[in-house]
Amino acid sequence: MVDWVRLELDVERFDDAEFSPYLRRAEASGTRFATLAELGDTPPHLRALYELNKTCSADIPDRGSFYSYDEYVAQRVDVPSFNPGGVVLAIRDGTWIGMSATSLHPEQGYAFSEMTGVLAPHRGQGLSLALKLLAIRFVRASGYRRLVAFHHPRNASAIAMNRRLGFTDLAADD
Ligand SMILES: CC(C)(COP(=O)(O)OP(=O)(O)OC[C@H]1O[C@@H](n2cnc3c(N)ncnc32)[C@H](O)[C@@H]1OP(=O)(O)O)[C@@H](O)C(=O)NCCC(=O)NCCS
């Protein structure tokens, strides 16, 4: 059984100013950011989101085979916690190169970081930090204080990304 690394961030204490340079730098070098709500959650856009998610997920240790498109829509999109305003996309020359998707869980009282991914040729440039800054702003604007994320213990880059943002280990009984 996998011993998931369970992390959480207090978004009220998160310091936007420390990470906004990553967003400015990405925009200055030609990457723009938009939510799926802004772009429209149309069938072609959902298909593009699926393809991006699938490609990035191939690098998650032990991820196994990814959903079919229909399974993805049924399990990730057509669910009450899905919010197109919480799907942030990084776009370069018209191509979607990165994403950060956050769901909201009113009963549990937290937001959940479903998937952050950047296409391999664009990694190591701070794009994930820019995407997560926008995701954190969405969480805050939605009235939530806690952002939770689960990672495979061997997903070193994702764990390091979240610790860099200030995520800490979730309390064992949570
Ligand atoms: C995890 C992922 C999104 C990081 O994207 P990225 O744009 O390359 O990350 P950034 O350049 O913004 O780096 C952010 C921080 O993450 C950490 N990090 C990123 N890649 C790392 C690596 N390969 N090894 C160690 N730390 C890494 C660093 O702390 C870095 O901050 P620093 O450069 O100031 O030290 C990307 O590797 C990815 O898409 N992986 C596959 C999908 C995945 O596993 N997603 C998470 C599951 S939800």
PDB file of all heavy atoms in Angstrom, residues 22 55-61 99 113-120 122-131 150-151 155-162 164, ligand 1:
ATOM      1  N   TYR A  22       7.298  35.053 -10.056  1.00  0.00           N
ATOM      2  CA  TYR A  22       7.274  33.914 -10.992  1.00  0.00           C
ATOM      3  C   TYR A  22       6.186  34.132 -12.047  1.00  0.00           C
ATOM      4  O   TYR A  22       6.360  33.787 -13.217  1.00  0.00           O
ATOM      5  CB  TYR A  22       7.030  32.600 -10.239  1.00  0.00           C
ATOM      6  CG  TYR A  22       8.200  32.191  -9.388  1.00  0.00           C
ATOM      7  CD1 TYR A  22       8.241  32.498  -8.032  1.00  0.00           C
ATOM      8  CD2 TYR A  22       9.289  31.515  -9.948  1.00  0.00           C
ATOM      9  CE1 TYR A  22       9.325  32.135  -7.253  1.00  0.00           C
ATOM     10  CE2 TYR A  22      10.382  31.151  -9.171  1.00  0.00           C
ATOM     11  CZ  TYR A  22      10.390  31.466  -7.823  1.00  0.00           C
ATOM     12  OH  TYR A  22      11.477  31.109  -7.056  1.00  0.00           O
ATOM     13  N   THR A  55      -1.017  13.656 -20.270  1.00  0.00           N
ATOM     14  CA  THR A  55       0.417  13.722 -20.590  1.00  0.00           C
ATOM     15  C   THR A  55       1.234  13.968 -19.321  1.00  0.00           C
ATOM     16  O   THR A  55       2.235  13.293 -19.066  1.00  0.00           O
ATOM     17  CB  THR A  55       0.690  14.853 -21.615  1.00  0.00           C
ATOM     18  OG1 THR A  55      -0.086  14.597 -22.776  1.00  0.00           O
ATOM     19  CG2 THR A  55       2.149  14.926 -21.991  1.00  0.00           C
ATOM     20  N   CYS A  56       0.808  14.926 -18.516  1.00  0.00           N
ATOM     21  CA  CYS A  56       1.562  15.255 -17.296  1.00  0.00           C
ATOM     22  C   CYS A  56       1.485  14.115 -16.284  1.00  0.00           C
ATOM     23  O   CYS A  56       2.461  13.820 -15.589  1.00  0.00           O
ATOM     24  CB  CYS A  56       1.043  16.548 -16.674  1.00  0.00           C
ATOM     25  SG  CYS A  56       1.363  18.004 -17.695  1.00  0.00           S
ATOM     26  N   SER A  57       0.346  13.460 -16.213  1.00  0.00           N
ATOM     27  CA  SER A  57       0.171  12.388 -15.229  1.00  0.00           C
ATOM     28  C   SER A  57       1.049  11.184 -15.520  1.00  0.00           C
ATOM     29  O   SER A  57       1.322  10.381 -14.612  1.00  0.00           O
ATOM     30  CB  SER A  57      -1.295  11.946 -15.172  1.00  0.00           C
ATOM     31  OG  SER A  57      -2.077  12.960 -14.599  1.00  0.00           O
ATOM     32  N   ALA A  58       1.496  11.047 -16.768  1.00  0.00           N
ATOM     33  CA  ALA A  58       2.363   9.909 -17.119  1.00  0.00           C
ATOM     34  C   ALA A  58       3.660   9.950 -16.313  1.00  0.00           C
ATOM     35  O   ALA A  58       4.330   8.928 -16.155  1.00  0.00           O
ATOM     36  CB  ALA A  58       2.656   9.928 -18.615  1.00  0.00           C
ATOM     37  N   ASP A  59       4.024  11.123 -15.770  1.00  0.00           N
ATOM     38  CA  ASP A  59       5.257  11.241 -14.987  1.00  0.00           C
ATOM     39  C   ASP A  59       5.037  11.061 -13.488  1.00  0.00           C
ATOM     40  O   ASP A  59       5.979  11.203 -12.708  1.00  0.00           O
ATOM     41  CB  ASP A  59       5.913  12.602 -15.251  1.00  0.00           C
ATOM     42  CG  ASP A  59       6.409  12.702 -16.686  1.00  0.00           C
ATOM     43  OD1 ASP A  59       6.748  11.646 -17.257  1.00  0.00           O
ATOM     44  OD2 ASP A  59       6.443  13.814 -17.221  1.00  0.00           O
ATOM     45  N   ILE A  60       3.811  10.780 -13.079  1.00  0.00           N
ATOM     46  CA  ILE A  60       3.555  10.526 -11.656  1.00  0.00           C
ATOM     47  C   ILE A  60       3.921   9.067 -11.367  1.00  0.00           C
ATOM     48  O   ILE A  60       3.422   8.165 -12.050  1.00  0.00           O
ATOM     49  CB  ILE A  60       2.069  10.789 -11.297  1.00  0.00           C
ATOM     50  CG1 ILE A  60       1.709  12.261 -11.552  1.00  0.00           C
ATOM     51  CG2 ILE A  60       1.781  10.396  -9.854  1.00  0.00           C
ATOM     52  CD1 ILE A  60       0.238  12.590 -11.320  1.00  0.00           C
ATOM     53  N   PRO A  61       4.810   8.822 -10.382  1.00  0.00           N
ATOM     54  CA  PRO A  61       5.214   7.432 -10.101  1.00  0.00           C
ATOM     55  C   PRO A  61       4.003   6.534  -9.841  1.00  0.00           C
ATOM     56  O   PRO A  61       3.069   6.931  -9.127  1.00  0.00           O
ATOM     57  CB  PRO A  61       6.073   7.570  -8.831  1.00  0.00           C
ATOM     58  CG  PRO A  61       6.536   8.988  -8.833  1.00  0.00           C
ATOM     59  CD  PRO A  61       5.459   9.785  -9.490  1.00  0.00           C
ATOM     60  N   MET A  99      -1.070  23.292 -16.174  1.00  0.00           N
ATOM     61  CA  MET A  99      -2.391  23.372 -15.536  1.00  0.00           C
ATOM     62  C   MET A  99      -2.263  23.235 -14.019  1.00  0.00           C
ATOM     63  O   MET A  99      -1.317  22.641 -13.512  1.00  0.00           O
ATOM     64  CB  MET A  99      -3.295  22.246 -16.035  1.00  0.00           C
ATOM     65  CG  MET A  99      -2.791  20.852 -15.667  1.00  0.00           C
ATOM     66  SD  MET A  99      -3.919  19.526 -16.138  1.00  0.00           S
ATOM     67  CE  MET A  99      -5.250  19.768 -14.954  1.00  0.00           C
ATOM     68  N   SER A 113      -6.016  20.156  -4.075  1.00  0.00           N
ATOM     69  CA  SER A 113      -5.218  20.352  -5.274  1.00  0.00           C
ATOM     70  C   SER A 113      -5.230  19.044  -6.064  1.00  0.00           C
ATOM     71  O   SER A 113      -4.565  18.079  -5.703  1.00  0.00           O
ATOM     72  CB  SER A 113      -3.800  20.752  -4.881  1.00  0.00           C
ATOM     73  OG  SER A 113      -3.108  21.187  -6.007  1.00  0.00           O
ATOM     74  N   GLU A 114      -6.055  19.012  -7.114  1.00  0.00           N
ATOM     75  CA  GLU A 114      -6.276  17.764  -7.862  1.00  0.00           C
ATOM     76  C   GLU A 114      -5.061  17.390  -8.706  1.00  0.00           C
ATOM     77  O   GLU A 114      -4.644  16.237  -8.735  1.00  0.00           O
ATOM     78  CB  GLU A 114      -7.476  17.927  -8.806  1.00  0.00           C
ATOM     79  CG  GLU A 114      -8.804  18.159  -8.115  1.00  0.00           C
ATOM     80  CD  GLU A 114      -9.431  16.861  -7.624  1.00  0.00           C
ATOM     81  OE1 GLU A 114      -8.988  15.790  -8.038  1.00  0.00           O
ATOM     82  OE2 GLU A 114     -10.368  16.959  -6.802  1.00  0.00           O
ATOM     83  N   MET A 115      -4.559  18.394  -9.430  1.00  0.00           N
ATOM     84  CA  MET A 115      -3.473  18.102 -10.371  1.00  0.00           C
ATOM     85  C   MET A 115      -2.779  19.383 -10.782  1.00  0.00           C
ATOM     86  O   MET A 115      -3.423  20.340 -11.207  1.00  0.00           O
ATOM     87  CB  MET A 115      -4.066  17.434 -11.625  1.00  0.00           C
ATOM     88  CG  MET A 115      -3.076  17.228 -12.746  1.00  0.00           C
ATOM     89  SD  MET A 115      -1.787  16.030 -12.240  1.00  0.00           S
ATOM     90  CE  MET A 115      -0.638  16.200 -13.610  1.00  0.00           C
ATOM     91  N   THR A 116      -1.481  19.397 -10.614  1.00  0.00           N
ATOM     92  CA  THR A 116      -0.671  20.473 -11.191  1.00  0.00           C
ATOM     93  C   THR A 116       0.317  19.794 -12.123  1.00  0.00           C
ATOM     94  O   THR A 116       0.966  18.821 -11.731  1.00  0.00           O
ATOM     95  CB  THR A 116       0.064  21.265 -10.094  1.00  0.00           C
ATOM     96  OG1 THR A 116      -0.917  21.829  -9.220  1.00  0.00           O
ATOM     97  CG2 THR A 116       0.904  22.398 -10.699  1.00  0.00           C
ATOM     98  N   GLY A 117       0.404  20.262 -13.328  1.00  0.00           N
ATOM     99  CA  GLY A 117       1.325  19.646 -14.280  1.00  0.00           C
ATOM    100  C   GLY A 117       1.820  20.657 -15.290  1.00  0.00           C
ATOM    101  O   GLY A 117       1.098  21.580 -15.674  1.00  0.00           O
ATOM    102  N   VAL A 118       3.064  20.466 -15.687  1.00  0.00           N
ATOM    103  CA  VAL A 118       3.683  21.322 -16.707  1.00  0.00           C
ATOM    104  C   VAL A 118       4.317  20.377 -17.733  1.00  0.00           C
ATOM    105  O   VAL A 118       4.961  19.383 -17.345  1.00  0.00           O
ATOM    106  CB  VAL A 118       4.758  22.248 -16.065  1.00  0.00           C
ATOM    107  CG1 VAL A 118       5.546  22.998 -17.122  1.00  0.00           C
ATOM    108  CG2 VAL A 118       4.104  23.224 -15.077  1.00  0.00           C
ATOM    109  N   LEU A 119       4.118  20.639 -19.011  1.00  0.00           N
ATOM    110  CA  LEU A 119       4.720  19.772 -20.039  1.00  0.00           C
ATOM    111  C   LEU A 119       6.242  19.800 -19.893  1.00  0.00           C
ATOM    112  O   LEU A 119       6.838  20.860 -19.638  1.00  0.00           O
ATOM    113  CB  LEU A 119       4.305  20.239 -21.435  1.00  0.00           C
ATOM    114  CG  LEU A 119       2.814  20.071 -21.792  1.00  0.00           C
ATOM    115  CD1 LEU A 119       2.551  20.573 -23.223  1.00  0.00           C
ATOM    116  CD2 LEU A 119       2.355  18.618 -21.656  1.00  0.00           C
ATOM    117  N   ALA A 120       6.866  18.633 -20.097  1.00  0.00           N
ATOM    118  CA  ALA A 120       8.283  18.456 -19.784  1.00  0.00           C
ATOM    119  C   ALA A 120       9.206  19.547 -20.357  1.00  0.00           C
ATOM    120  O   ALA A 120      10.080  20.034 -19.647  1.00  0.00           O
ATOM    121  CB  ALA A 120       8.730  17.065 -20.214  1.00  0.00           C
ATOM    122  N   HIS A 122       8.853  22.536 -20.666  1.00  0.00           N
ATOM    123  CA  HIS A 122       8.671  23.842 -20.015  1.00  0.00           C
ATOM    124  C   HIS A 122       8.920  23.782 -18.509  1.00  0.00           C
ATOM    125  O   HIS A 122       8.634  24.741 -17.795  1.00  0.00           O
ATOM    126  CB  HIS A 122       7.248  24.361 -20.296  1.00  0.00           C
ATOM    127  CG  HIS A 122       6.965  24.506 -21.755  1.00  0.00           C
ATOM    128  ND1 HIS A 122       7.358  25.605 -22.491  1.00  0.00           N
ATOM    129  CD2 HIS A 122       6.359  23.662 -22.633  1.00  0.00           C
ATOM    130  CE1 HIS A 122       6.992  25.441 -23.757  1.00  0.00           C
ATOM    131  NE2 HIS A 122       6.383  24.269 -23.861  1.00  0.00           N
ATOM    132  N   ARG A 123       9.437  22.667 -18.039  1.00  0.00           N
ATOM    133  CA  ARG A 123       9.663  22.531 -16.585  1.00  0.00           C
ATOM    134  C   ARG A 123      10.932  23.276 -16.140  1.00  0.00           C
ATOM    135  O   ARG A 123      11.775  23.613 -16.954  1.00  0.00           O
ATOM    136  CB  ARG A 123       9.757  21.042 -16.208  1.00  0.00           C
ATOM    137  CG  ARG A 123       8.408  20.374 -16.312  1.00  0.00           C
ATOM    138  CD  ARG A 123       8.439  18.898 -15.914  1.00  0.00           C
ATOM    139  NE  ARG A 123       7.157  18.286 -16.293  1.00  0.00           N
ATOM    140  CZ  ARG A 123       6.952  16.998 -16.467  1.00  0.00           C
ATOM    141  NH1 ARG A 123       7.941  16.142 -16.268  1.00  0.00           N
ATOM    142  NH2 ARG A 123       5.758  16.553 -16.834  1.00  0.00           N
ATOM    143  N   GLY A 124      11.014  23.495 -14.843  1.00  0.00           N
ATOM    144  CA  GLY A 124      12.218  24.100 -14.272  1.00  0.00           C
ATOM    145  C   GLY A 124      12.324  25.598 -14.504  1.00  0.00           C
ATOM    146  O   GLY A 124      13.389  26.186 -14.372  1.00  0.00           O
ATOM    147  N   GLN A 125      11.207  26.236 -14.856  1.00  0.00           N
ATOM    148  CA  GLN A 125      11.224  27.681 -15.115  1.00  0.00           C
ATOM    149  C   GLN A 125      10.284  28.430 -14.173  1.00  0.00           C
ATOM    150  O   GLN A 125       9.934  29.579 -14.441  1.00  0.00           O
ATOM    151  CB  GLN A 125      10.802  27.945 -16.569  1.00  0.00           C
ATOM    152  CG  GLN A 125      11.714  27.302 -17.594  1.00  0.00           C
ATOM    153  CD  GLN A 125      11.091  27.300 -18.998  1.00  0.00           C
ATOM    154  OE1 GLN A 125      10.362  28.227 -19.360  1.00  0.00           O
ATOM    155  NE2 GLN A 125      11.366  26.269 -19.763  1.00  0.00           N
ATOM    156  N   GLY A 126       9.809  27.766 -13.151  1.00  0.00           N
ATOM    157  CA  GLY A 126       8.942  28.445 -12.194  1.00  0.00           C
ATOM    158  C   GLY A 126       7.478  28.481 -12.591  1.00  0.00           C
ATOM    159  O   GLY A 126       6.669  29.123 -11.919  1.00  0.00           O
ATOM    160  N   LEU A 127       7.124  27.769 -13.675  1.00  0.00           N
ATOM    161  CA  LEU A 127       5.724  27.830 -14.132  1.00  0.00           C
ATOM    162  C   LEU A 127       4.756  27.237 -13.110  1.00  0.00           C
ATOM    163  O   LEU A 127       3.654  27.745 -12.929  1.00  0.00           O
ATOM    164  CB  LEU A 127       5.571  27.076 -15.454  1.00  0.00           C
ATOM    165  CG  LEU A 127       5.754  27.876 -16.731  1.00  0.00           C
ATOM    166  CD1 LEU A 127       5.388  27.001 -17.926  1.00  0.00           C
ATOM    167  CD2 LEU A 127       4.886  29.135 -16.708  1.00  0.00           C
ATOM    168  N   SER A 128       5.171  26.167 -12.444  1.00  0.00           N
ATOM    169  CA  SER A 128       4.245  25.566 -11.471  1.00  0.00           C
ATOM    170  C   SER A 128       3.975  26.532 -10.319  1.00  0.00           C
ATOM    171  O   SER A 128       2.868  26.564  -9.780  1.00  0.00           O
ATOM    172  CB  SER A 128       4.784  24.228 -10.938  1.00  0.00           C
ATOM    173  OG  SER A 128       5.792  24.426  -9.973  1.00  0.00           O
ATOM    174  N   LEU A 129       4.975  27.329  -9.959  1.00  0.00           N
ATOM    175  CA  LEU A 129       4.779  28.282  -8.859  1.00  0.00           C
ATOM    176  C   LEU A 129       3.806  29.381  -9.285  1.00  0.00           C
ATOM    177  O   LEU A 129       2.965  29.820  -8.496  1.00  0.00           O
ATOM    178  CB  LEU A 129       6.127  28.865  -8.420  1.00  0.00           C
ATOM    179  CG  LEU A 129       7.138  27.831  -7.896  1.00  0.00           C
ATOM    180  CD1 LEU A 129       8.468  28.507  -7.564  1.00  0.00           C
ATOM    181  CD2 LEU A 129       6.593  27.097  -6.668  1.00  0.00           C
ATOM    182  N   ALA A 130       3.890  29.809 -10.544  1.00  0.00           N
ATOM    183  CA  ALA A 130       2.951  30.816 -11.056  1.00  0.00           C
ATOM    184  C   ALA A 130       1.535  30.243 -11.099  1.00  0.00           C
ATOM    185  O   ALA A 130       0.563  30.899 -10.692  1.00  0.00           O
ATOM    186  CB  ALA A 130       3.390  31.263 -12.456  1.00  0.00           C
ATOM    187  N   LEU A 131       1.407  28.993 -11.564  1.00  0.00           N
ATOM    188  CA  LEU A 131       0.086  28.345 -11.626  1.00  0.00           C
ATOM    189  C   LEU A 131      -0.509  28.197 -10.233  1.00  0.00           C
ATOM    190  O   LEU A 131      -1.704  28.459 -10.009  1.00  0.00           O
ATOM    191  CB  LEU A 131       0.211  26.967 -12.279  1.00  0.00           C
ATOM    192  CG  LEU A 131       0.391  26.952 -13.795  1.00  0.00           C
ATOM    193  CD1 LEU A 131       0.990  25.628 -14.254  1.00  0.00           C
ATOM    194  CD2 LEU A 131      -0.948  27.203 -14.489  1.00  0.00           C
ATOM    195  N   PHE A 150      -2.260  15.505  -1.965  1.00  0.00           N
ATOM    196  CA  PHE A 150      -1.693  14.179  -1.672  1.00  0.00           C
ATOM    197  C   PHE A 150      -0.708  13.834  -2.785  1.00  0.00           C
ATOM    198  O   PHE A 150      -1.030  14.006  -3.964  1.00  0.00           O
ATOM    199  CB  PHE A 150      -2.779  13.086  -1.664  1.00  0.00           C
ATOM    200  CG  PHE A 150      -3.797  13.201  -0.554  1.00  0.00           C
ATOM    201  CD1 PHE A 150      -4.948  12.433  -0.591  1.00  0.00           C
ATOM    202  CD2 PHE A 150      -3.596  14.048   0.534  1.00  0.00           C
ATOM    203  CE1 PHE A 150      -5.903  12.519   0.426  1.00  0.00           C
ATOM    204  CE2 PHE A 150      -4.537  14.143   1.554  1.00  0.00           C
ATOM    205  CZ  PHE A 150      -5.701  13.378   1.497  1.00  0.00           C
ATOM    206  N   HIS A 151       0.439  13.309  -2.389  1.00  0.00           N
ATOM    207  CA  HIS A 151       1.426  12.918  -3.409  1.00  0.00           C
ATOM    208  C   HIS A 151       1.998  11.533  -3.141  1.00  0.00           C
ATOM    209  O   HIS A 151       2.196  11.144  -1.980  1.00  0.00           O
ATOM    210  CB  HIS A 151       2.584  13.923  -3.451  1.00  0.00           C
ATOM    211  CG  HIS A 151       2.176  15.265  -3.953  1.00  0.00           C
ATOM    212  ND1 HIS A 151       1.656  15.457  -5.211  1.00  0.00           N
ATOM    213  CD2 HIS A 151       2.179  16.473  -3.352  1.00  0.00           C
ATOM    214  CE1 HIS A 151       1.363  16.728  -5.357  1.00  0.00           C
ATOM    215  NE2 HIS A 151       1.661  17.376  -4.265  1.00  0.00           N
ATOM    216  N   ASN A 155       7.214  11.085  -5.703  1.00  0.00           N
ATOM    217  CA  ASN A 155       7.026  12.231  -6.606  1.00  0.00           C
ATOM    218  C   ASN A 155       7.774  13.439  -6.038  1.00  0.00           C
ATOM    219  O   ASN A 155       7.187  14.422  -5.569  1.00  0.00           O
ATOM    220  CB  ASN A 155       5.539  12.544  -6.810  1.00  0.00           C
ATOM    221  CG  ASN A 155       5.316  13.416  -8.037  1.00  0.00           C
ATOM    222  OD1 ASN A 155       6.262  14.016  -8.544  1.00  0.00           O
ATOM    223  ND2 ASN A 155       4.082  13.492  -8.496  1.00  0.00           N
ATOM    224  N   ALA A 156       9.116  13.350  -6.131  1.00  0.00           N
ATOM    225  CA  ALA A 156       9.970  14.346  -5.464  1.00  0.00           C
ATOM    226  C   ALA A 156       9.717  15.765  -5.963  1.00  0.00           C
ATOM    227  O   ALA A 156       9.703  16.716  -5.172  1.00  0.00           O
ATOM    228  CB  ALA A 156      11.434  13.965  -5.665  1.00  0.00           C
ATOM    229  N   SER A 157       9.523  15.931  -7.276  1.00  0.00           N
ATOM    230  CA  SER A 157       9.374  17.300  -7.801  1.00  0.00           C
ATOM    231  C   SER A 157       8.085  17.938  -7.292  1.00  0.00           C
ATOM    232  O   SER A 157       8.065  19.114  -6.899  1.00  0.00           O
ATOM    233  CB  SER A 157       9.430  17.318  -9.331  1.00  0.00           C
ATOM    234  OG  SER A 157       8.489  16.423  -9.868  1.00  0.00           O
ATOM    235  N   ALA A 158       7.003  17.163  -7.253  1.00  0.00           N
ATOM    236  CA  ALA A 158       5.727  17.724  -6.798  1.00  0.00           C
ATOM    237  C   ALA A 158       5.773  18.034  -5.297  1.00  0.00           C
ATOM    238  O   ALA A 158       5.277  19.080  -4.856  1.00  0.00           O
ATOM    239  CB  ALA A 158       4.593  16.744  -7.100  1.00  0.00           C
ATOM    240  N   ILE A 159       6.394  17.150  -4.527  1.00  0.00           N
ATOM    241  CA  ILE A 159       6.489  17.393  -3.081  1.00  0.00           C
ATOM    242  C   ILE A 159       7.361  18.627  -2.832  1.00  0.00           C
ATOM    243  O   ILE A 159       7.003  19.509  -2.034  1.00  0.00           O
ATOM    244  CB  ILE A 159       7.041  16.137  -2.366  1.00  0.00           C
ATOM    245  CG1 ILE A 159       6.034  14.986  -2.495  1.00  0.00           C
ATOM    246  CG2 ILE A 159       7.344  16.431  -0.889  1.00  0.00           C
ATOM    247  CD1 ILE A 159       6.584  13.615  -2.133  1.00  0.00           C
ATOM    248  N   ALA A 160       8.469  18.727  -3.567  1.00  0.00           N
ATOM    249  CA  ALA A 160       9.361  19.891  -3.395  1.00  0.00           C
ATOM    250  C   ALA A 160       8.642  21.180  -3.815  1.00  0.00           C
ATOM    251  O   ALA A 160       8.775  22.216  -3.150  1.00  0.00           O
ATOM    252  CB  ALA A 160      10.634  19.699  -4.214  1.00  0.00           C
ATOM    253  N   MET A 161       7.869  21.106  -4.903  1.00  0.00           N
ATOM    254  CA  MET A 161       7.107  22.284  -5.353  1.00  0.00           C
ATOM    255  C   MET A 161       6.192  22.775  -4.226  1.00  0.00           C
ATOM    256  O   MET A 161       6.164  23.967  -3.899  1.00  0.00           O
ATOM    257  CB  MET A 161       6.279  21.908  -6.589  1.00  0.00           C
ATOM    258  CG  MET A 161       5.146  22.861  -6.929  1.00  0.00           C
ATOM    259  SD  MET A 161       4.079  22.194  -8.220  1.00  0.00           S
ATOM    260  CE  MET A 161       3.141  20.924  -7.351  1.00  0.00           C
ATOM    261  N   ASN A 162       5.452  21.851  -3.638  1.00  0.00           N
ATOM    262  CA  ASN A 162       4.498  22.274  -2.605  1.00  0.00           C
ATOM    263  C   ASN A 162       5.198  22.723  -1.325  1.00  0.00           C
ATOM    264  O   ASN A 162       4.762  23.689  -0.689  1.00  0.00           O
ATOM    265  CB  ASN A 162       3.475  21.167  -2.339  1.00  0.00           C
ATOM    266  CG  ASN A 162       2.354  21.188  -3.374  1.00  0.00           C
ATOM    267  OD1 ASN A 162       2.126  22.212  -4.013  1.00  0.00           O
ATOM    268  ND2 ASN A 162       1.673  20.081  -3.546  1.00  0.00           N
ATOM    269  N   ARG A 164       8.056  24.146  -1.233  1.00  0.00           N
ATOM    270  CA  ARG A 164       8.586  25.475  -1.595  1.00  0.00           C
ATOM    271  C   ARG A 164       7.519  26.556  -1.392  1.00  0.00           C
ATOM    272  O   ARG A 164       7.812  27.682  -0.998  1.00  0.00           O
ATOM    273  CB  ARG A 164       9.038  25.417  -3.057  1.00  0.00           C
ATOM    274  CG  ARG A 164       9.417  26.710  -3.692  1.00  0.00           C
ATOM    275  CD  ARG A 164      10.866  27.071  -3.403  1.00  0.00           C
ATOM    276  NE  ARG A 164      11.243  28.310  -4.076  1.00  0.00           N
ATOM    277  CZ  ARG A 164      10.960  29.538  -3.638  1.00  0.00           C
ATOM    278  NH1 ARG A 164      10.299  29.687  -2.512  1.00  0.00           N
ATOM    279  NH2 ARG A 164      11.352  30.608  -4.320  1.00  0.00           N
TER     280      ARG A 164
HETATM  281  C1  LIG B   1       5.756  18.923 -10.410  1.00  0.00           C
HETATM  282  C2  LIG B   1       5.772  19.849 -11.617  1.00  0.00           C
HETATM  283  C3  LIG B   1       4.373  20.393 -11.832  1.00  0.00           C
HETATM  284  C4  LIG B   1       6.740  21.020 -11.341  1.00  0.00           C
HETATM  285  O1  LIG B   1       6.626  21.944 -12.423  1.00  0.00           O
HETATM  286  P1  LIG B   1       7.782  22.985 -12.806  1.00  0.00           P
HETATM  287  O2  LIG B   1       7.155  24.100 -13.557  1.00  0.00           O
HETATM  288  O3  LIG B   1       8.908  22.280 -13.459  1.00  0.00           O
HETATM  289  O4  LIG B   1       8.253  23.476 -11.371  1.00  0.00           O
HETATM  290  P2  LIG B   1       8.942  24.889 -11.065  1.00  0.00           P
HETATM  291  O5  LIG B   1       9.978  25.205 -12.078  1.00  0.00           O
HETATM  292  O6  LIG B   1       7.862  25.887 -10.834  1.00  0.00           O
HETATM  293  O7  LIG B   1       9.664  24.587  -9.675  1.00  0.00           O
HETATM  294  C5  LIG B   1       9.026  24.868  -8.450  1.00  0.00           C
HETATM  295  C6  LIG B   1       9.778  24.244  -7.298  1.00  0.00           C
HETATM  296  O8  LIG B   1       9.538  22.853  -7.303  1.00  0.00           O
HETATM  297  C7  LIG B   1      10.729  22.160  -6.943  1.00  0.00           C
HETATM  298  N1  LIG B   1      11.091  21.296  -8.073  1.00  0.00           N
HETATM  299  C8  LIG B   1      10.598  21.343  -9.330  1.00  0.00           C
HETATM  300  N2  LIG B   1      11.136  20.348 -10.071  1.00  0.00           N
HETATM  301  C9  LIG B   1      11.958  19.678  -9.252  1.00  0.00           C
HETATM  302  C10 LIG B   1      12.783  18.536  -9.423  1.00  0.00           C
HETATM  303  N3  LIG B   1      12.861  17.893 -10.606  1.00  0.00           N
HETATM  304  N4  LIG B   1      13.489  18.098  -8.364  1.00  0.00           N
HETATM  305  C11 LIG B   1      13.423  18.722  -7.159  1.00  0.00           C
HETATM  306  N5  LIG B   1      12.647  19.819  -6.941  1.00  0.00           N
HETATM  307  C12 LIG B   1      11.936  20.273  -7.977  1.00  0.00           C
HETATM  308  C13 LIG B   1      11.748  23.198  -6.603  1.00  0.00           C
HETATM  309  O9  LIG B   1      11.651  23.472  -5.219  1.00  0.00           O
HETATM  310  C14 LIG B   1      11.278  24.404  -7.366  1.00  0.00           C
HETATM  311  O10 LIG B   1      11.569  25.629  -6.772  1.00  0.00           O
HETATM  312  P3  LIG B   1      13.036  26.292  -6.912  1.00  0.00           P
HETATM  313  O11 LIG B   1      13.412  26.155  -8.350  1.00  0.00           O
HETATM  314  O12 LIG B   1      12.808  27.704  -6.483  1.00  0.00           O
HETATM  315  O13 LIG B   1      13.894  25.505  -5.997  1.00  0.00           O
HETATM  316  C15 LIG B   1       6.275  19.090 -12.898  1.00  0.00           C
HETATM  317  O14 LIG B   1       7.474  18.443 -12.592  1.00  0.00           O
HETATM  318  C16 LIG B   1       5.277  18.076 -13.444  1.00  0.00           C
HETATM  319  O15 LIG B   1       4.409  18.409 -14.256  1.00  0.00           O
HETATM  320  N6  LIG B   1       5.403  16.801 -13.012  1.00  0.00           N
HETATM  321  C17 LIG B   1       4.517  15.734 -13.516  1.00  0.00           C
HETATM  322  C18 LIG B   1       3.108  15.848 -12.969  1.00  0.00           C
HETATM  323  C19 LIG B   1       3.050  15.723 -11.460  1.00  0.00           C
HETATM  324  O16 LIG B   1       3.686  14.872 -10.852  1.00  0.00           O
HETATM  325  N7  LIG B   1       2.239  16.581 -10.854  1.00  0.00           N
HETATM  326  C20 LIG B   1       2.001  16.574  -9.422  1.00  0.00           C
HETATM  327  C21 LIG B   1       0.949  15.596  -9.073  1.00  0.00           C
HETATM  328  S1  LIG B   1      -0.558  16.430  -8.721  1.00  0.00           S
END
